[in-house]
Amino acid sequence: MKPISKVAEAVRASTTMAVDSMAKQMKADGLDVIGFGAGEPDFKTPDNINMAAITAISEGKTKYTPAAGIIPLRKAIADQLKTDCGVDYDYTQIVVASGAKHSVYIALAAVTNPGDEIIIAAPFWVSYYEMVKMTGGTPVIIEAGEAQQFKITPQQLEAAITDNTKAMILNNPSNPTGMIYSREELQQLADICVKHDLYIIADEIYYKLVYDGAEFTSVVSLSEDVKERTLLINGVSKSYAMTGWRVGYCAANKQLAKVMANFLSHSTGAPSTISQWAAVEGINGPQEQVEKMRIAFEERRNYIVERMNSIPGVSCIMPNGAFYVMMNIEKLVGRTLGGKLIENDDDFAVAFLEKALVATVPCSGFGVKNFVRWSYATSMENIKSGLDRLEKFLAE
Ligand code: PMP
Ligand code: GLU
């Protein structure tokens, strides 16, 4: 047979999804696995949202919708962006897609020509790297290690830009690091993007999950010029515990919004109509659950960070957003754990899963070595048991 697509062949499986399915399979096989793999809120979708979906079905709202989504949802999103981020978008600038992951993909597809360089800060969410390649771009990585709080500096950004640079991906708060850029830091990065006429693909899906009273600044609120060149990604998965409903969106200038809507109209069409009506209720309905979940995440973060730093051999810095902790395992390299020589984070994650039955994500797939990501979007009980197991595993 003739060779398959080179681009498709080069796509690697998502480590986050792979760890999650491995842990789920082990559980299904009767093993007592505790999962800290996928970043997925453990909370149930709030009842008012579920009810809105049931109502949509009974009212017959089960047919195709416009490719960019139903107008009530696009208006609800525009209103929310005004309230939460202080920015004005007309609903025609909002393009709804099947999850924020899909929105990132169509945003990249909308701006990328073959060979365009897209800047990504490492550690990065694993899918960015693959999606840049899938849409014909070349990923250019800027490394931001723990010593710089996993945040890139303006000097690093400036140094990474070439004549071929088209855009930078800016994930704030960050998955996997949980770090948040301050307004000043964002301004410095955004100024460079304006100076070099770059697009900004801003993924702010964790914006409601910030801790210690930290203030979140949306990059689009910095100036009209920044807003015009930004493709702002967000969605309901994380804030409303709606991962399985598959609703995300991109807000952009009218030309880009139209291009993305056209692209959608030939690929997936609109997301599930029922999910769209559920998302309307999520955004327009009572918001108490969102704050309750945020408070629970903050408590879990405080516990996990303190406990992890009390265990010899590992450490982590305090993240102030999202629901991830980056465990530094540098000191474990060269040791034998669970009968296995640990040479890197992949070895550690495999041994930890096989021997201690704890699923975490090795960060090599996120562009950084010797870190393992824990998602604390799981119960306090699981977190305590997971750290007990870590302590025992390292003590052996
Ligand atoms: N962006 C980031 C940074 C994420 O962590 C995720 C989680 N998968 C997504 C986008 C995609 O979310 P969704 O479930 O809406 O596709
Ligand atoms: N964003 C989550 C994570 O990083 C969900 C899995 C995925 O879509 O990659 O674990």
Side-chain angles (χ1 to χ4, degrees):
M1 271 189 280
K2 294 202 173 178
I4 66 166
S5 146
K6 284 199 179 78
V7 171
E9 204 175 18
V11 177
R12 292 173 301 179
S14 156
T15 30
T16 51
M17 301 298 249
V19 167
D20 191 47
S21 35
M22 205 193 303
K24 282 181 178 147
Q25 187 55 51
M26 287 171 78
K27 248 189 213 165
D29 294 343
L31 293 166
D32 173 28
V33 172
I34 309 179
F36 295 90
E40 173 164 46
D42 55 318
F43 302 106
K44 279 171 60 187
T45 305
D47 281 344
N48 60 311
I49 299 177
N50 295 333
M51 283 314 297
I54 293 167
T55 307
I57 295 172
S58 13
E59 287 177 354
K61 292 172 172 159
T62 55
K63 303 293 171 79
Y64 290 137
T65 77
I70 53 174
I71 292 175
L73 178 55
R74 297 163 79 195
K75 284 191 167 161
I77 291 166
D79 288 349
Q80 188 174 47
L81 286 172
K82 174 81 184 158
T83 312
D84 291 355
C85 305
V87 284
D88 285 304
Y89 281 100
D90 185 76
Y91 82 87
T92 56
Q93 294 177 267
I94 314 289
V95 178
V96 181
S98 300
K101 187 179 277 189
H102 191 211
S103 301
V104 174
Y105 184 85
I106 56 157
L108 281 166
V111 299
T112 309
N113 284 319
D116 281 350
E117 292 174 3
I118 311 289
I119 292 176
I120 306 175
F124 48 78
W125 178 42
V126 61
S127 294
Y128 296 143
Y129 191 86
E130 298 302 319
M131 287 196 273
V132 167
K133 290 193 299 172
M134 286 158 80
T135 49
T138 304
V140 172
I141 306 301
I142 302 179
E143 282 179 30
E146 193 184 40
Q148 58 189 84
Q149 305 279 301
F150 300 119
K151 296 198 253 188
I152 61 164
T153 63
Q155 293 75 18
Q156 283 181 300
L157 176 59
E158 188 79 57
I161 295 169
T162 71
D163 289 346
N164 295 325
T165 310
K166 182 58 88 61
M168 88 168 284
I169 299 183
L170 186 65
N171 178 209
N172 186 42
S174 155
N175 172 7
T177 70
M179 288 301 148
I180 303 183
Y181 286 95
S182 69
R183 189 176 189 89
E184 294 68 38
E185 289 165 338
L186 276 182
Q187 185 73 61
Q188 288 177 326
L189 298 177
D191 285 348
I192 296 171
C193 293
V194 172
K195 183 174 131 196
H196 292 276
D197 189 23
L198 305 184
Y199 289 104
I200 302 172
I201 298 178
D203 181 347
E204 299 185 350
I205 190 148
Y206 295 99
Y207 86 112
K208 282 188 184 285
L209 300 178
V210 298
Y211 313 118
D212 302 324
E215 201 187 318
F216 170 77
T217 303
S218 172
V219 72
V220 288
S221 69
L222 294 178
S223 72
E224 261 315 299
D225 200 352
V226 173
K227 183 173 161 237
E228 265 302 289
R229 66 184 58 253
T230 298
L231 296 92
L232 176 65
I233 315 288
N234 212 319
V236 294
S237 290
K238 315 290 174 176
S239 312
Y240 299 98
M242 290 180 70
T243 45
W245 298 79
R246 312 308 304 131
V247 177
Y249 65 85
C250 182
N253 70 41
K254 287 193 174 172
Q255 184 204 5
L256 282 168
K258 183 138 201 336
V259 166
M260 288 188 282
N262 289 345
F263 195 92
L264 283 170
S265 74
H266 294 293
S267 46
T268 50
S272 150
T273 306
I274 301 149
S275 295
Q276 291 189 62
W277 284 105
V280 171
E281 173 61 23
I283 294 170
N284 287 346
Q287 300 294 302
E288 288 81 26
Q289 290 300 322
V290 179
E291 180 57 8
K292 271 196 193 147
M293 293 190 271
R294 193 198 66 77
I295 291 169
F297 287 135
E298 183 158 357
E299 283 168 7
R300 295 166 180 187
R301 177 205 64 154
N302 293 345
Y303 178 85
I304 200 168
V305 170
E306 198 187 326
R307 182 88 196 273
M308 200 172 271
N309 283 313
S310 76
I311 300 176
V314 292
S315 62
C316 65
I317 60 170
M318 180 65 96
N320 44 8
F323 37 58
Y324 306 103
V325 168
M326 296 281 282
M327 182 170 79
N328 186 329
I329 63 140
E330 250 164 47
K331 291 193 185 138
L332 303 180
V333 174
R335 273 180 65 180
T336 299
L337 293 170
K340 193 177 165 79
L341 174 66
I342 306 299
E343 287 185 288
N344 53 43
D345 46 290
D346 291 302
D347 292 342
F348 175 85
V350 170
F352 197 33
L353 178 58
E354 284 176 357
K355 302 292 173 196
L357 300 182
V358 178
T360 53
V361 185
C363 292
S364 52
F366 299 152
V368 65
K369 284 197 178 79
N370 295 336
F371 284 88
V372 171
R373 189 192 79 174
W374 292 58
S375 157
Y376 53 87
T378 185
S379 69
M380 197 56 137
E381 197 191 337
N382 278 346
I383 293 173
K384 286 183 178 160
S385 308
L387 288 157
D388 288 345
R389 289 186 191 185
L390 175 69
E391 203 160 10
K392 203 161 155 247
F393 184 63
L394 297 185
E396 269 169 21

